[in-house]
Amino acid sequence: MSAPQLVVHRDKELMAQAAAARLITRIVDAQAARGYASVVLTGGRNGNGLLAALAAAPARDAIDWSRLDLWWGDERFLPEGDPERNVTQAREALLDSVELDPSRVHAMPASGGPYGNDADAAAAAYAEELAAAAGPEDHGPVPTFDVLMLGVGPDTHVASLFPELPAVRETERTVVGVHGAPKPPPTRISLTLPAIRAAREVWLLAAGEDKAEAAEIALSGAGEIQAPAAGAYGRSRTLWLLDAAAASRLPRALYPPASP
């Protein structure tokens, strides 16, 4: 378990740009070291804002996109191409504009596909896909992702792990179907906390005044069942990337004065 580090930016636009630059560097370093990189994407306004900033960054061309594996932390269980699906939004923000290897883009299953409307079967299939990609060096049923990004909800949820619901209590499976989510759509697929913790680095993104209370709760020692964001951490690094509004209820002692 890595203790959280905080970086606070002036506003959400600067946060997105800085996070995109940080992600480019991390991917390029991983590719230089191993020949490839593995990243887990997140949806929502902050996740999509980061992808849009990455699309606009000239340094994006430093990445060898054909040697990048992309996964998702969660997905809305909706039909393929639905505008509310995280993968649909990611394609629009970035993915359609770069030269990815389609076999390395691991979207979560859509409803109405091979698994029909069975989110649990779709989740099990994604777990199998993760397990097939894991090697002996990963010491578990998921790859050791270089960076796993998560948006933090106003209720402290991350991925589709909501406070007190069964999915956040899962300790064995790596991917689960989520039913009765408190925000629409109610049916989703999500990585579990054990899968999230397989990542080398976990980055939690929070911007806006509506995220201030969630950041305060998650960083104040709350339990992961009540505050799922508190249970999201990486093997070597846990990084909270916030704007000033989201950090407004945090004591300055939690983050360095040099945060831009």
Side-chain angles (χ1 to χ4, degrees):
M1 176 179 178
S2 56
Q5 299 173 290
L6 279 69
V7 179
V8 180
H9 295 285
R10 182 180 63 243
D11 53 45
K12 65 180 181 181
E13 290 79 17
L14 183 57
M15 186 190 92
Q17 293 163 7
R22 188 185 295 273
L23 184 60
I24 291 169
T25 299
R26 188 68 189 86
I27 292 171
V28 170
D29 286 348
Q31 290 180 335
R34 285 198 320 276
Y36 69 95
S38 177
V39 171
V40 180
L41 300 181
T42 185
R45 68 176 189 246
N46 293 320
N48 291 324
L50 186 156
L51 294 182
L54 181 51
R60 79 178 201 183
D61 294 334
I63 295 172
D64 184 342
W65 294 96
S66 68
R67 293 189 291 126
L68 177 63
D69 291 297
L70 292 178
W71 303 85
W72 270 262
D74 75 320
E75 186 56 276
R76 298 170 172 96
F77 196 53
L78 296 168
E80 187 71 38
D82 189 289
E84 292 300 310
R85 276 176 59 80
N86 289 335
V87 66
T88 306
Q89 296 173 4
R91 291 188 187 283
E92 181 178 343
L94 171 69
L95 306 190
D96 286 345
S97 65
V98 293
E99 297 295 324
L100 293 161
D101 178 349
S103 70
R104 303 183 86 150
V105 179
H106 305 275
M108 287 182 164
S111 66
Y115 312 102
N117 292 319
D118 189 341
D120 297 316
Y126 203 68
E128 291 177 7
E129 190 172 353
L130 284 164
E137 70 278 6
D138 294 312
H139 308 293
V142 297
T144 304
F145 313 112
D146 290 298
V147 176
L148 183 149
M149 295 181 288
L150 297 166
V152 179
D155 60 354
T156 74
H157 84 267
V158 289
S160 284
L161 305 177
F162 294 90
E164 303 286 354
L165 290 191
V168 77
R169 302 175 184 272
E170 179 64 45
T171 59
E172 299 296 328
R173 292 177 292 173
T174 58
V175 190
V176 292
V178 176
H179 306 276
K183 60 180 290 189
T187 306
R188 297 155 174 258
I189 300 172
S190 183
L191 298 188
T192 61
L193 287 176
I196 288 168
R197 293 168 186 161
R200 289 182 177 88
E201 298 190 13
V202 169
W203 298 2
L204 297 107
L205 312 175
E209 290 182 10
D210 62 326
K211 306 298 179 71
E213 184 178 8
E216 179 187 33
I217 292 169
L219 289 164
S220 66
E224 62 193 39
I225 305 301
Q226 295 76 30
Y233 47 83
R235 290 184 178 182
S236 62
R237 193 179 198 194
T238 305
L239 190 62
W240 280 73
L241 302 173
L242 308 104
D243 73 350
S248 61
R249 294 176 58 158
L250 300 175
R252 284 291 302 191
L254 276 180
Y255 55 94
S259 288

